[in-house]
Amino acid sequence: MLTLPTICRREAPVVCVGPVTIGGGAPIVVQSMTDTDTGDVEASVAQVRALATAGSELVRLTVADDAHARAIPKIREALDAAGVEVPLIGCFHYNGHALLKRHPAMAQALAKYRINPGNVGFGDSRDVRFAQMVEAALEHGKPVRIGVNWGSLDQDLAATMMDENARQESPAPAGDVMREVLVRSALDSARRAEDLGLPADRIILSAKSSRVLDLIAIYRALAARSPYALHIGLTEAGMGLRGIVASALGAGILLHEGIGDTIRMSLTPRPGQARTDEVRACQEVLQSLSLRHFTPQVTACPGCGRTTSAFFRELAQRIEDHITAKMPEWRAAYPGVEGLHIAVMGCIVNGPGESRHADIGISLPGTGEDPAAPVFIDGQRAHILRGPDIAERFVALVEAYVRQRYGDQNG
């Protein structure tokens, strides 16, 4: 008998980022990042609210200068006034040590600091500035993410390791060395932070690449060689379908191996595309692996020459839209509804079988079939729908099923 593989999560120390728990077996956390000018308080608040509403549980903002630093407490205050409790992460490069010192209100308003060891400083200044940022985290009681990126490596470390490799009798390929540079940079920086007094339960690591196979190799090494909570994702996933596929593939393989405590998809939005798409993409990956449930799943066939394509696709879209509109109400009134499985199928080939496997499903008539649509509830055929109002009646049956199943079980 075939059984589903069990995902055994790697245990990491619990890291508290405001009210959000990362690691320690907690649900994998979805995060995102704004692309507004942080100094534009109104625009930044609006985007943070949109990301949080979509399901982002952490939101990162760029803190590049004094104007950004002054805006952070105002953004936090406006979000609190609106009842949006999502923790804010400060993303620092080059001058974070100075900004954290000059703007204590910003340092306190943020729930976590992101430090890139490759961009903290250069030469003799690197260790001093890194220490200053860790000291700020200690002073304000904040965790940090030490985030190493392929595009902003510690060049001194890279040069040293490449030279050492070149002196070997059988040098390793350059790509192997550079992957090891990312891992070493992250681990060395985390150990230095601990030496400065920051405990392991306030450290999250990431070591991102823009290539899927590099990402997998790097995170396998981090997971095997460190205890820290891990944030996973490609550093630049790309645009559209390419970005989604690459991100889902890399993150999905790692998550299936139990690696990863928080996730982001760094998608490049097309002009006019919603920033929130990266949040929903993360949710789909986690839901596809049954690691978390965020919204009911709708199974629909792709269509073929047997299906009356327009009608069943319109009904599938109508169900998706109905769920999206109802979820704020359902989530509050019917705990557990996120795990609901609905099937909207287009003909007799797979329709009845898929509909039986769903909690509630409909098998629409295909070309040449009897113009009747059986509805299956909990594996049993419960109704036969006919006529021009099939869509309206099926939506009503879904509503009734949600009330009956999730309302009754929750009192």
Side-chain angles (χ1 to χ4, degrees):
M1 180 180 295
L2 296 176
T3 58
L4 288 174
T6 300
I7 298 177
C8 298
R9 291 278 306 282
R10 166 185 173 270
E11 285 291 335
V14 173
V15 182
C16 294
V17 183
V20 175
T21 299
I22 296 173
I28 294 161
V29 172
V30 174
Q31 64 177 277
S32 58
M33 184 175 184
T34 60
D35 62 359
T36 56
D37 176 355
T38 305
D40 185 337
V41 173
E42 183 177 354
S44 296
V45 168
Q47 191 171 81
V48 172
R49 290 188 68 176
L51 291 166
T53 299
S56 183
E57 292 154 311
L58 300 173
V59 178
R60 182 158 51 109
L61 298 97
T62 296
V63 188
D65 53 35
D66 291 303
H68 288 181
R70 286 191 292 268
I72 291 292
K74 298 175 184 177
I75 294 169
R76 179 73 272 166
E77 182 179 353
L79 292 169
D80 289 342
V84 180
E85 298 180 353
V86 64
L88 303 180
I89 303 165
C91 188
F92 297 100
H93 297 277
Y94 310 112
N95 59 353
H97 63 293
L99 293 174
L100 286 165
K101 183 176 181 179
R102 286 200 298 266
H103 299 279
M106 175 269 293
Q108 189 57 42
L110 294 170
K112 185 176 72 171
Y113 310 153
R114 190 280 178 120
I115 305 173
N116 183 341
N119 288 343
V120 169
F122 305 96
D124 294 339
S125 70
R126 180 184 295 109
D127 287 347
V128 173
R129 293 180 178 182
F130 182 85
Q132 289 172 338
M133 296 189 74
V134 172
E135 287 162 4
L138 289 167
E139 178 183 353
H140 295 279
K142 307 296 181 179
V144 301
R145 170 161 73 93
I146 295 173
V148 182
N149 278 357
W150 192 268
S152 52
L153 280 171
D154 181 335
Q155 293 303 310
D156 290 342
L157 179 61
T160 297
M161 292 183 64
M162 289 296 283
D163 288 344
E164 290 173 352
N165 180 65
R167 290 193 293 270
Q168 300 300 312
E169 184 175 341
S170 299
D176 293 356
V177 178
M178 295 306 289
R179 285 189 287 272
E180 180 63 16
V181 172
L182 263 80
V183 174
R184 278 275 303 277
S185 179
L187 295 179
D188 290 352
S189 298
R191 290 172 187 136
R192 173 149 175 74
E194 285 202 73
D195 289 343
L196 291 165
L198 195 67
D201 62 2
R202 283 174 44 198
I203 297 173
I204 297 170
L205 288 190
S206 67
K208 293 186 175 183
S209 168
S210 58
R211 296 184 292 194
V212 171
L213 294 180
D214 288 327
L215 184 84
I216 293 167
I218 289 163
Y219 274 90
R220 283 173 174 167
L222 282 177
R225 291 160 56 181
S226 78
Y228 307 106
L230 299 177
H231 167 71
I232 63 173
L234 293 172
T235 185
E236 298 101 6
M239 183 177 284
L241 188 59
R242 188 268 171 194
I244 293 172
V245 170
S247 289
L249 185 60
I253 288 172
L254 291 169
L255 291 168
H256 187 261
E257 294 178 1
I259 299 170
D261 302 285
T262 174
I263 180 176
R264 182 194 172 204
M265 284 198 184
S266 300
L267 303 178
T268 305
R270 296 186 184 278
Q273 183 181 11
R275 187 72 168 179
T276 53
D277 284 355
E278 68 175 48
V279 178
R280 296 191 177 96
C282 287
Q283 292 175 332
E284 289 293 340
V285 168
L286 295 174
Q287 187 148 327
S288 295
L289 291 169
S290 296
L291 290 168
R292 292 186 67 181
H293 292 286
F294 299 93
T295 190
Q297 174 186 347
V298 179
T299 296
C301 64
C304 69
R306 299 178 64 95
T307 59
T308 52
S309 299
F311 182 71
F312 97 83
R313 289 175 181 164
E314 288 168 4
L315 179 55
Q317 185 63 59
R318 180 165 179 174
I319 292 295
E320 292 273 13
D321 293 343
H322 186 76
I323 289 171
T324 299
K326 297 292 286 189
M327 272 309 291
E329 174 189 331
W330 284 359
R331 191 174 286 113
Y334 305 116
V337 72
E338 296 88 352
L340 175 66
H341 181 193
I342 304 170
V344 179
M345 303 300 293
C347 78
I348 200 171
V349 174
N350 290 322
E354 289 286 354
S355 297
R356 282 192 178 94
H357 288 307
D359 295 314
I360 179 169
I362 186 169
S363 180
L364 295 166
T367 302
E369 294 175 21
D370 179 38
V375 175
F376 296 83
I377 297 177
D378 294 329
Q380 303 298 318
R381 192 171 71 177
H383 304 276
I384 298 287
L385 303 183
R386 294 184 173 85
D389 61 346
I390 286 177
E392 290 79 7
R393 291 165 66 191
F394 184 64
V395 169
L397 288 172
V398 170
E399 282 278 0
Y401 183 84
V402 168
R403 288 193 300 271
Q404 181 273 324
R405 175 172 175 181
Y406 298 99
D408 288 353
Q409 77 173 12
N410 292 287

